[in-house]
Amino acid sequence: MITCDILIIGAGPAGLFATYYAGMRGLSTVVVDSLSHLGGQVAALYPEKFIYDVAGLPAVRGRDLISGLIDQAQSARPRIILGEECTTLDDQEDGSIIATTSAGTSIHCGAIVITGGIGRFTPRPLPAVDAYSGGGIHRVVGPAEEYAGHDVVVVGGGDSAVDWANMLAETANSVTLVHRRARFTAHESSVELVRNSRCRIITDAEVLEVAGSATVQHVVIKDAKQADSEVVPASIVIPALGHIASLGPVTGWGLTITGRQIEVGTDMSTGRPRVYAAGDITDYPGKVRLMVVGFGEAATAINNITVVLRPNENVFPGHSSELPRLVSAGSEG
Ligand SMILES: Cc1cc2nc3c(=O)[nH]c(=O)nc-3n(C[C@H](O)[C@H](O)[C@H](O)COP(=O)(O)OP(=O)(O)OC[C@H]3O[C@@H](n4cnc5c(N)ncnc54)[C@H](O)[C@@H]3O)c2cc1C
């Protein structure tokens, strides 16, 4: 059994900031996410896009924002459990809670912050990729340098597919973008960029087979209108068909859920004792679903949990500028 003061369910921006904040208040954390990586929607859906509405950062690439949030969260020394979904919550007689994950991990905690965003999201199926068990399938794209010398096939027609094709067009040995329709749904300027890049574009076509073992050797691409198929050399396949989101087990936790959101009070409490929520998953009158709002909610949730777990402390944490240094400073004058 793993024990901690606060269990954070969901490692997107709100969950990562809640983790840091818990550390700032001297509380230990376990972070669980059903994805195999940290960063929630930002890391999974748009790591290369620039974000222009995070306070103090005039323009920040998604990947860099997540990297900063992870660095900050690490100062809390959280235990991080990835690839497991939190499935059940059981109240204990002393007020604490035991949570269990899809892999059977039990976490005994004093309180919980649900930062589950739009829920667990799973990639849309692509039968040819799902039938392939070898290496070389990248569902999340790493830094462009890792693709140097590779023949990459990107599958999809939305923003992620087109952004990733654009990002790798100059670095990879070759990039082939395969889309089953004639028209892309990605932002017009990104589509124009990819059309003018080194990338080969194959539309009205689908991936019939992925062949290889330790890594991909080639893919077979079939024309949707004719019986023709073509073997395209590839060492990496990036399926970018989007995700299916679902709240999943959260709906069975006895919370008030409207649509896909948990109703919370001004202190981010959910109504279930010691269970709080923050970020995209919350709802209240006037809610604005943006990261900056989620960061504030995460701080509010943790500060209010602090006084539940340690009644002698204050909700207001004091000014961080008066605390000992927690993370390495970005700039010092
Ligand atoms: C293309 C795009 C562009 C965007 N641009 C901006 C922008 O410019 N500015 C802005 O502020 N916002 C933007 N957003 C929205 C922003 O990404 C979200 O507001 C933000 O990601 C929400 O953060 P979160 O931590 O609440 O949830 P998420 O990022 O959704 O993270 C939630 C995490 O919880 C996990 N999870 C869910 N349920 C469970 C469970 N039961 N067990 C374990 N793990 C679970 C999920 O796997 C996920 O990783 C954009 C969104 C998209 C799709």
Side-chain angles (χ1 to χ4, degrees):
M1 175 90 68
I2 302 169
T3 57
C4 63
D5 293 318
I6 304 181
L7 168 63
I8 312 254
I9 303 175
L16 289 170
F17 192 62
T19 304
Y20 163 72
Y21 214 96
M24 208 177 91
R25 298 247 30 188
L27 297 164
S28 62
T29 44
V30 170
V31 183
V32 178
D33 201 298
S34 50
L35 292 175
S36 58
H37 58 84
L38 300 168
Q41 290 176 56
V42 184
L45 304 181
Y46 59 104
E48 293 308 315
K49 281 197 189 299
F50 277 96
I51 299 162
Y52 303 100
D53 55 358
V54 178
L57 298 171
V60 59
R61 207 183 279 274
R63 181 190 297 289
D64 297 331
L65 176 64
I66 293 304
S67 162
L69 285 164
I70 292 172
D71 280 355
Q72 207 177 24
Q74 291 294 3
S75 70
R77 301 187 186 285
R79 175 150 182 178
I80 295 172
I81 301 172
L82 294 175
E84 295 184 29
E85 184 178 20
C86 200
T87 48
T88 61
L89 309 185
D90 288 314
D91 295 325
Q92 304 300 295
E93 273 182 15
D94 65 356
S96 63
I97 302 169
I98 295 182
T100 317
T101 73
S102 48
T105 309
S106 295
I107 303 143
H108 188 189
C109 58
I112 290 177
V113 184
I114 306 172
T115 43
I118 49 174
R120 60 157 185 235
F121 45 110
T122 42
R124 277 185 202 285
L126 178 59
V129 166
D130 299 340
Y132 169 77
S133 56
I137 305 294
H138 290 204
R139 294 196 185 273
V140 175
V141 175
E145 313 81 74
E146 286 177 15
Y147 295 80
H150 281 282
D151 293 310
V152 181
V153 171
V154 182
V155 190
D159 276 311
S160 303
V162 173
D163 283 353
W164 282 333
N166 275 324
M167 169 189 152
L168 302 177
E170 291 305 316
T171 321
N173 187 49
S174 71
V175 176
T176 307
L177 177 62
V178 184
H179 181 35
R180 67 194 174 104
R181 303 202 191 286
R183 238 187 124 258
F184 287 92
T185 52
H187 198 275
E188 250 174 60
S189 60
S190 315
V191 176
E192 195 176 326
L193 197 64
V194 83
R195 287 199 193 283
N196 293 320
S197 75
R198 288 172 64 230
C199 181
R200 180 181 173 204
I201 298 172
I202 308 180
T203 51
D204 287 316
E206 59 183 323
V207 176
L208 202 60
E209 186 194 342
V210 177
S213 54
T215 188
V216 176
Q217 300 290 324
H218 66 254
V219 298
V220 180
I221 294 169
K222 183 185 167 296
D223 190 303
K225 291 181 179 152
Q226 296 157 21
D228 298 356
S229 60
E230 179 188 347
V231 174
V232 174
S235 48
I236 290 174
V237 173
I238 301 174
L241 300 173
H243 291 76
I244 302 163
S246 143
L247 280 190
V250 179
T251 55
W253 293 348
L255 311 171
T256 306
I257 294 183
T258 310
R260 287 172 156 211
Q261 269 80 40
I262 302 169
E263 283 183 27
V264 292
T266 51
D267 59 355
M268 298 297 130
S269 61
T270 63
R272 180 170 173 162
R274 299 201 186 191
V275 179
Y276 290 66
D280 272 17
I281 202 163
T282 65
D283 202 21
Y284 48 82
K287 164 79 183 186
V288 178
R289 223 148 261 116
L290 284 175
M291 280 184 277
V292 283
V293 175
F295 295 147
E297 292 171 357
T300 298
I302 297 293
N303 282 316
N304 281 282
I305 287 173
T306 304
V307 291
V308 172
L309 299 183
R310 297 181 177 165
N312 293 335
E313 296 201 16
N314 295 321
V315 174
F316 183 64
H319 290 138
S320 69
S321 52
E322 283 149 25
L323 294 174
R325 178 183 292 189
L326 298 171
V327 264
S328 56
S331 61
E332 292 175 276

PDB file of all heavy atoms in Angstrom, residues 33-34 36 77 87 107 117 125 135 137 183 197 212 226 243 263 267 298 307 319:
ATOM      1  N   ASP A  33      -1.810   8.899 -13.525  1.00  0.00           N
ATOM      2  CA  ASP A  33      -2.417   9.263 -14.820  1.00  0.00           C
ATOM      3  C   ASP A  33      -2.548   8.021 -15.688  1.00  0.00           C
ATOM      4  O   ASP A  33      -1.646   7.183 -15.732  1.00  0.00           O
ATOM      5  CB  ASP A  33      -1.595  10.329 -15.557  1.00  0.00           C
ATOM      6  CG  ASP A  33      -2.461  11.064 -16.589  1.00  0.00           C
ATOM      7  OD1 ASP A  33      -2.966  10.409 -17.528  1.00  0.00           O
ATOM      8  OD2 ASP A  33      -2.651  12.289 -16.435  1.00  0.00           O
ATOM      9  N   SER A  34      -3.658   7.939 -16.386  1.00  0.00           N
ATOM     10  CA  SER A  34      -3.900   6.777 -17.243  1.00  0.00           C
ATOM     11  C   SER A  34      -3.035   6.816 -18.499  1.00  0.00           C
ATOM     12  O   SER A  34      -2.824   5.782 -19.137  1.00  0.00           O
ATOM     13  CB  SER A  34      -5.382   6.684 -17.603  1.00  0.00           C
ATOM     14  OG  SER A  34      -5.832   7.918 -18.087  1.00  0.00           O
ATOM     15  N   SER A  36       0.595   7.319 -20.598  1.00  0.00           N
ATOM     16  CA  SER A  36       1.939   6.818 -20.279  1.00  0.00           C
ATOM     17  C   SER A  36       2.926   7.975 -20.091  1.00  0.00           C
ATOM     18  O   SER A  36       4.111   7.764 -19.947  1.00  0.00           O
ATOM     19  CB  SER A  36       2.422   5.917 -21.407  1.00  0.00           C
ATOM     20  OG  SER A  36       2.416   6.671 -22.605  1.00  0.00           O
ATOM     21  N   ARG A  77       8.745  16.183  -4.850  1.00  0.00           N
ATOM     22  CA  ARG A  77       9.136  14.766  -4.789  1.00  0.00           C
ATOM     23  C   ARG A  77       7.925  13.828  -4.799  1.00  0.00           C
ATOM     24  O   ARG A  77       7.763  12.980  -3.920  1.00  0.00           O
ATOM     25  CB  ARG A  77       9.988  14.486  -3.541  1.00  0.00           C
ATOM     26  CG  ARG A  77      11.247  15.317  -3.489  1.00  0.00           C
ATOM     27  CD  ARG A  77      12.151  14.890  -2.348  1.00  0.00           C
ATOM     28  NE  ARG A  77      13.292  15.783  -2.221  1.00  0.00           N
ATOM     29  CZ  ARG A  77      14.331  15.798  -3.031  1.00  0.00           C
ATOM     30  NH1 ARG A  77      14.396  14.959  -4.040  1.00  0.00           N
ATOM     31  NH2 ARG A  77      15.331  16.643  -2.838  1.00  0.00           N
ATOM     32  N   THR A  87      -9.571   3.974 -10.345  1.00  0.00           N
ATOM     33  CA  THR A  87     -10.900   3.400 -10.593  1.00  0.00           C
ATOM     34  C   THR A  87     -11.863   3.500  -9.409  1.00  0.00           C
ATOM     35  O   THR A  87     -13.034   3.786  -9.599  1.00  0.00           O
ATOM     36  CB  THR A  87     -10.777   1.919 -11.030  1.00  0.00           C
ATOM     37  OG1 THR A  87      -9.901   1.252 -10.126  1.00  0.00           O
ATOM     38  CG2 THR A  87     -10.232   1.792 -12.433  1.00  0.00           C
ATOM     39  N   ILE A 107      -3.672   3.151  -2.967  1.00  0.00           N
ATOM     40  CA  ILE A 107      -3.044   4.379  -2.447  1.00  0.00           C
ATOM     41  C   ILE A 107      -3.878   4.877  -1.276  1.00  0.00           C
ATOM     42  O   ILE A 107      -5.067   5.177  -1.442  1.00  0.00           O
ATOM     43  CB  ILE A 107      -2.957   5.458  -3.556  1.00  0.00           C
ATOM     44  CG1 ILE A 107      -2.174   4.905  -4.745  1.00  0.00           C
ATOM     45  CG2 ILE A 107      -2.305   6.737  -3.030  1.00  0.00           C
ATOM     46  CD1 ILE A 107      -2.698   5.347  -6.070  1.00  0.00           C
ATOM     47  N   GLY A 117      -9.328  16.574 -16.109  1.00  0.00           N
ATOM     48  CA  GLY A 117      -9.547  17.238 -17.402  1.00  0.00           C
ATOM     49  C   GLY A 117     -10.801  16.768 -18.105  1.00  0.00           C
ATOM     50  O   GLY A 117     -11.903  16.782 -17.556  1.00  0.00           O
ATOM     51  N   PRO A 125      -8.892   4.233 -32.613  1.00  0.00           N
ATOM     52  CA  PRO A 125      -8.250   3.036 -33.157  1.00  0.00           C
ATOM     53  C   PRO A 125      -7.834   3.202 -34.615  1.00  0.00           C
ATOM     54  O   PRO A 125      -8.477   3.910 -35.386  1.00  0.00           O
ATOM     55  CB  PRO A 125      -9.336   1.962 -33.023  1.00  0.00           C
ATOM     56  CG  PRO A 125     -10.611   2.678 -32.771  1.00  0.00           C
ATOM     57  CD  PRO A 125     -10.294   4.042 -32.254  1.00  0.00           C
ATOM     58  N   GLY A 135       7.909  -2.459 -32.490  1.00  0.00           N
ATOM     59  CA  GLY A 135       8.271  -1.100 -32.070  1.00  0.00           C
ATOM     60  C   GLY A 135       8.091  -0.102 -33.204  1.00  0.00           C
ATOM     61  O   GLY A 135       7.753  -0.475 -34.337  1.00  0.00           O
ATOM     62  N   ILE A 137       6.088   2.678 -33.150  1.00  0.00           N
ATOM     63  CA  ILE A 137       4.819   3.421 -33.188  1.00  0.00           C
ATOM     64  C   ILE A 137       4.911   4.538 -32.147  1.00  0.00           C
ATOM     65  O   ILE A 137       5.105   4.275 -30.956  1.00  0.00           O
ATOM     66  CB  ILE A 137       3.608   2.501 -32.846  1.00  0.00           C
ATOM     67  CG1 ILE A 137       3.572   1.277 -33.763  1.00  0.00           C
ATOM     68  CG2 ILE A 137       2.303   3.289 -32.902  1.00  0.00           C
ATOM     69  CD1 ILE A 137       3.314   1.562 -35.222  1.00  0.00           C
ATOM     70  N   ARG A 183      -9.848  16.343 -47.864  1.00  0.00           N
ATOM     71  CA  ARG A 183      -9.709  17.633 -47.180  1.00  0.00           C
ATOM     72  C   ARG A 183      -9.164  17.455 -45.771  1.00  0.00           C
ATOM     73  O   ARG A 183      -9.615  16.574 -45.040  1.00  0.00           O
ATOM     74  CB  ARG A 183     -11.098  18.286 -47.075  1.00  0.00           C
ATOM     75  CG  ARG A 183     -11.170  19.626 -47.718  1.00  0.00           C
ATOM     76  CD  ARG A 183     -12.483  20.357 -47.494  1.00  0.00           C
ATOM     77  NE  ARG A 183     -12.248  21.651 -46.888  1.00  0.00           N
ATOM     78  CZ  ARG A 183     -12.438  21.901 -45.606  1.00  0.00           C
ATOM     79  NH1 ARG A 183     -12.875  20.971 -44.800  1.00  0.00           N
ATOM     80  NH2 ARG A 183     -12.189  23.107 -45.130  1.00  0.00           N
ATOM     81  N   SER A 197       5.918  21.937 -48.044  1.00  0.00           N
ATOM     82  CA  SER A 197       7.109  21.375 -47.394  1.00  0.00           C
ATOM     83  C   SER A 197       7.637  20.174 -48.175  1.00  0.00           C
ATOM     84  O   SER A 197       7.082  19.796 -49.211  1.00  0.00           O
ATOM     85  CB  SER A 197       6.757  20.941 -45.965  1.00  0.00           C
ATOM     86  OG  SER A 197       6.005  19.738 -46.018  1.00  0.00           O
ATOM     87  N   GLY A 212       6.953  -5.050 -39.662  1.00  0.00           N
ATOM     88  CA  GLY A 212       8.234  -4.855 -38.982  1.00  0.00           C
ATOM     89  C   GLY A 212       8.290  -5.714 -37.746  1.00  0.00           C
ATOM     90  O   GLY A 212       7.445  -6.576 -37.533  1.00  0.00           O
ATOM     91  N   GLN A 226      -9.579   3.265 -55.471  1.00  0.00           N
ATOM     92  CA  GLN A 226      -9.217   2.171 -56.378  1.00  0.00           C
ATOM     93  C   GLN A 226      -8.660   1.008 -55.565  1.00  0.00           C
ATOM     94  O   GLN A 226      -8.441   1.127 -54.373  1.00  0.00           O
ATOM     95  CB  GLN A 226      -8.154   2.663 -57.369  1.00  0.00           C
ATOM     96  CG  GLN A 226      -8.688   3.757 -58.280  1.00  0.00           C
ATOM     97  CD  GLN A 226      -7.571   4.601 -58.846  1.00  0.00           C
ATOM     98  OE1 GLN A 226      -6.427   4.163 -58.891  1.00  0.00           O
ATOM     99  NE2 GLN A 226      -7.905   5.796 -59.255  1.00  0.00           N
ATOM    100  N   HIS A 243      -8.369  11.546 -30.208  1.00  0.00           N
ATOM    101  CA  HIS A 243      -8.618  10.734 -29.015  1.00  0.00           C
ATOM    102  C   HIS A 243     -10.111  10.665 -28.708  1.00  0.00           C
ATOM    103  O   HIS A 243     -10.870  11.541 -29.091  1.00  0.00           O
ATOM    104  CB  HIS A 243      -7.900  11.345 -27.801  1.00  0.00           C
ATOM    105  CG  HIS A 243      -6.416  11.237 -27.890  1.00  0.00           C
ATOM    106  ND1 HIS A 243      -5.658  12.039 -28.707  1.00  0.00           N
ATOM    107  CD2 HIS A 243      -5.549  10.405 -27.282  1.00  0.00           C
ATOM    108  CE1 HIS A 243      -4.390  11.705 -28.592  1.00  0.00           C
ATOM    109  NE2 HIS A 243      -4.292  10.717 -27.736  1.00  0.00           N
ATOM    110  N   GLU A 263     -19.289  19.346 -10.223  1.00  0.00           N
ATOM    111  CA  GLU A 263     -19.650  20.625  -9.597  1.00  0.00           C
ATOM    112  C   GLU A 263     -18.822  20.806  -8.325  1.00  0.00           C
ATOM    113  O   GLU A 263     -18.707  19.878  -7.519  1.00  0.00           O
ATOM    114  CB  GLU A 263     -21.133  20.647  -9.258  1.00  0.00           C
ATOM    115  CG  GLU A 263     -21.961  20.903 -10.511  1.00  0.00           C
ATOM    116  CD  GLU A 263     -23.439  21.007 -10.224  1.00  0.00           C
ATOM    117  OE1 GLU A 263     -23.804  21.388  -9.080  1.00  0.00           O
ATOM    118  OE2 GLU A 263     -24.211  20.693 -11.130  1.00  0.00           O
ATOM    119  N   ASP A 267     -14.197  26.633  -2.703  1.00  0.00           N
ATOM    120  CA  ASP A 267     -12.937  26.077  -2.177  1.00  0.00           C
ATOM    121  C   ASP A 267     -12.496  24.844  -2.961  1.00  0.00           C
ATOM    122  O   ASP A 267     -11.573  24.148  -2.574  1.00  0.00           O
ATOM    123  CB  ASP A 267     -13.087  25.722  -0.687  1.00  0.00           C
ATOM    124  CG  ASP A 267     -14.195  24.695  -0.453  1.00  0.00           C
ATOM    125  OD1 ASP A 267     -14.904  24.342  -1.426  1.00  0.00           O
ATOM    126  OD2 ASP A 267     -14.350  24.239   0.696  1.00  0.00           O
ATOM    127  N   ALA A 298      -6.132  24.871  -8.685  1.00  0.00           N
ATOM    128  CA  ALA A 298      -5.254  23.878  -8.040  1.00  0.00           C
ATOM    129  C   ALA A 298      -4.715  24.452  -6.727  1.00  0.00           C
ATOM    130  O   ALA A 298      -4.717  23.780  -5.687  1.00  0.00           O
ATOM    131  CB  ALA A 298      -4.105  23.510  -8.980  1.00  0.00           C
ATOM    132  N   VAL A 307      -5.812  22.868   5.436  1.00  0.00           N
ATOM    133  CA  VAL A 307      -6.415  23.098   6.763  1.00  0.00           C
ATOM    134  C   VAL A 307      -7.315  21.945   7.197  1.00  0.00           C
ATOM    135  O   VAL A 307      -7.584  21.770   8.382  1.00  0.00           O
ATOM    136  CB  VAL A 307      -7.181  24.446   6.843  1.00  0.00           C
ATOM    137  CG1 VAL A 307      -6.215  25.604   6.791  1.00  0.00           C
ATOM    138  CG2 VAL A 307      -8.221  24.571   5.756  1.00  0.00           C
ATOM    139  N   HIS A 319       3.472  34.311   1.551  1.00  0.00           N
ATOM    140  CA  HIS A 319       4.026  34.619   0.222  1.00  0.00           C
ATOM    141  C   HIS A 319       5.192  33.697  -0.089  1.00  0.00           C
ATOM    142  O   HIS A 319       6.105  33.554   0.723  1.00  0.00           O
ATOM    143  CB  HIS A 319       4.473  36.082   0.158  1.00  0.00           C
ATOM    144  CG  HIS A 319       3.312  37.015   0.181  1.00  0.00           C
ATOM    145  ND1 HIS A 319       3.290  38.180   0.919  1.00  0.00           N
ATOM    146  CD2 HIS A 319       2.101  36.945  -0.413  1.00  0.00           C
ATOM    147  CE1 HIS A 319       2.126  38.793   0.756  1.00  0.00           C
ATOM    148  NE2 HIS A 319       1.396  38.055  -0.045  1.00  0.00           N
TER     149      HIS A 319
END
